Amino acid sequence: MSWISAEQALALLGTKPQTLYANVSRGRIAARPDPSDPRRSLYRRDDVERLASRHKGRPPAKAVAAEAIAWGEPVLTTAISTVRNGRLLYRGQDAARLAETATLGGVARLLWNASAEVDFAGRARALQPGMAAAYRAVAELAATDLPANGRSLTLLLRDAARTVSFLAGALAAPGTDPVHERLARQWGRPDAADPIRRALVLLAEHELNASTFAARVTASTGAPLSAAVLAGLAALSGPLHGTASQSMAGLVEEARRLGPEAAVNAHLRRGQPLPCFGHRLYLDGDVRAPALMASFVMPPHLAALAEAGERLSGEKPNIDFALTGLTAAFGLPDDAPLTIFALARSVGWLAHALEQVETGALIRPRAHYVGVEPPVE
């Protein structure tokens, strides 16, 4: 992520400082303090260049579409969630506040507009709980469930709850208690139940991220809701999304050998962004991270790394860092972050799938062809 000075930003924009500051306040340009001089600000180059290109004239429709697909302007209408003024909102309610007391079932009630807290009880147990079992369980449902189109909301809500129950059965211990307690029991750490609960709530939904878009496109075809969750799981498996916390392993090991400050400096000198620091949607840091980290004591080596990383990069630890800290603090399995992420986000995928089914519209964007043209006859 590249940052530039106010002078450089103004030169690119060709505007007055007041216009630059107005664009920052409206969330169009990300800004952060200059690590070398906290009295000055730096501005995200990508945001400045995008606005500068607009000022040169109204861009063609294909340019607008291309920009929107990668952190650009909103492309779909939703009433489920948004990130606004540094807050993550679930149907208008602050997710960080919800995380103080809510359960995943309670958040499902909110996001799905259900009449009561959703029960994800399950008595079946996978022979080898984990992500492989999760894929198999949801794929089996997707292969046999009825299409979503033409079915009542009551039946769709039942399908949604059953899908999450199957997923929970593949990832957590069986039982009728809340899923955060079942995960804690599965991992032999009952004292981790409340932090896991918080993580599930904070990760349940995050607007139109990659996996949610995949789930929503699938739902738009009329496919079963379980198929939408399967699509979400597939997208979540990528290192730029659900497994992002695994990218921190190298940095953590380097910090153990060299010390946190030396490790961060070495990383930055290589021109690499620090893994698990910063988030494009949050100008002042990923609000989910402190909401989760407040529920446990960060291991000293990770606390030192968080301090050095923020001080030297100007970016705060994000939710992936917090999940890494949670895993280390309680000695959870290495795949715990992805397990928590997948189970939590399935609720958000289903909220979007339900909303998309209600529209009855197929999501079918066009591609801008840049390949070989046929010969002129």
Side-chain angles (χ1 to χ4, degrees), residues 275-297:
C276 303
F277 282 81
H279 195 292
R280 288 184 65 106
L281 293 183
Y282 300 93
L283 301 185
D284 194 34
D286 186 344
V287 69
R288 299 169 297 174
L292 176 55
M293 292 190 293
S295 66
F296 63 90
V297 177

Side-chain angles (χ1 to χ4, degrees), residues 304-368:
L305 181 58
E307 187 279 328
E310 182 176 349
R311 174 165 46 84
L312 295 171
S313 74
E315 300 283 5
K316 296 180 180 180
N318 62 24
I319 188 64
D320 297 305
F321 190 104
L323 284 173
T324 299
L326 171 64
T327 300
F330 292 97
L332 304 181
D334 291 342
D335 63 351
L338 180 57
T339 296
I340 293 170
F341 207 149
L343 185 53
R345 190 56 57 83
S346 67
V347 168
W349 295 333
L350 286 161
H352 280 270
L354 289 165
E355 188 177 62
Q356 187 62 39
V357 169
E358 186 179 8
T359 71
L362 175 68
I363 299 174
R364 205 300 189 187
R366 293 294 309 278
H368 175 50

Side-chain angles (χ1 to χ4, degrees), residues 72-306:
E73 296 297 326
V75 297
L76 286 174
T77 299
T78 182
I80 298 169
S81 76
T82 190
V83 175
R84 181 176 296 171
N85 298 325
R87 300 167 67 200
L88 173 59
L89 304 176
Y90 293 170
R91 294 198 184 276
Q93 297 192 38
D94 190 300
R97 290 185 181 177
L98 285 171
E100 295 175 4
T101 57
T103 64
L104 188 62
V107 169
R109 175 187 183 180
L110 173 64
L111 295 178
W112 298 356
N113 273 333
S115 59
E117 182 165 334
V118 183
D119 183 7
F120 300 132
R123 293 175 176 79
R125 181 185 179 90
L127 294 178
Q128 291 185 310
M131 290 305 299
Y135 279 104
R136 287 192 294 269
V138 179
E140 183 177 342
L141 280 180
T144 56
D145 281 352
L146 290 173
N149 282 3
R151 302 178 66 224
S152 71
L153 179 59
T154 299
L155 292 180
L156 291 178
L157 287 172
R158 186 191 66 184
D159 284 358
R162 185 168 65 112
T163 300
V164 179
S165 294
F166 267 60
L167 186 59
L171 295 172
T176 58
D177 44 341
V179 289
H180 62 275
E181 295 180 5
R182 292 164 57 190
L183 279 174
R185 190 166 69 252
Q186 169 70 28
W187 293 327
R189 291 306 304 260
D191 53 334
D194 191 65
I196 291 171
R197 177 194 60 76
R198 286 175 179 256
L200 289 169
V201 172
L202 291 164
L203 287 164
E205 166 60 7
H206 205 226
E207 205 210 52
L208 202 59
N209 53 79
S211 58
T212 298
F213 189 60
R216 189 147 186 160
V217 169
T218 302
S220 79
T221 70
L225 296 183
S226 50
V229 171
L230 186 61
L233 282 172
L236 191 70
S237 66
L240 298 182
H241 192 14
T243 61
S245 60
Q246 296 176 7
S247 65
M248 237 185 85
L251 178 61
V252 171
E253 178 56 32
E254 199 169 9
R256 287 185 186 276
R257 289 188 294 104
L258 306 176
E261 184 162 335
V264 171
N265 272 325
H267 215 83
L268 295 175
R269 287 196 182 98
R270 292 194 293 266
Q272 300 171 334
L274 285 181
C276 303
F277 282 81
H279 195 292
R280 288 184 65 106
L281 293 183
Y282 300 93
L283 301 185
D284 194 34
D286 186 344
V287 69
R288 299 169 297 174
L292 176 55
M293 292 190 293
S295 66
F296 63 90
V297 177
M298 184 69 69
H301 70 287
L302 290 178
L305 181 58

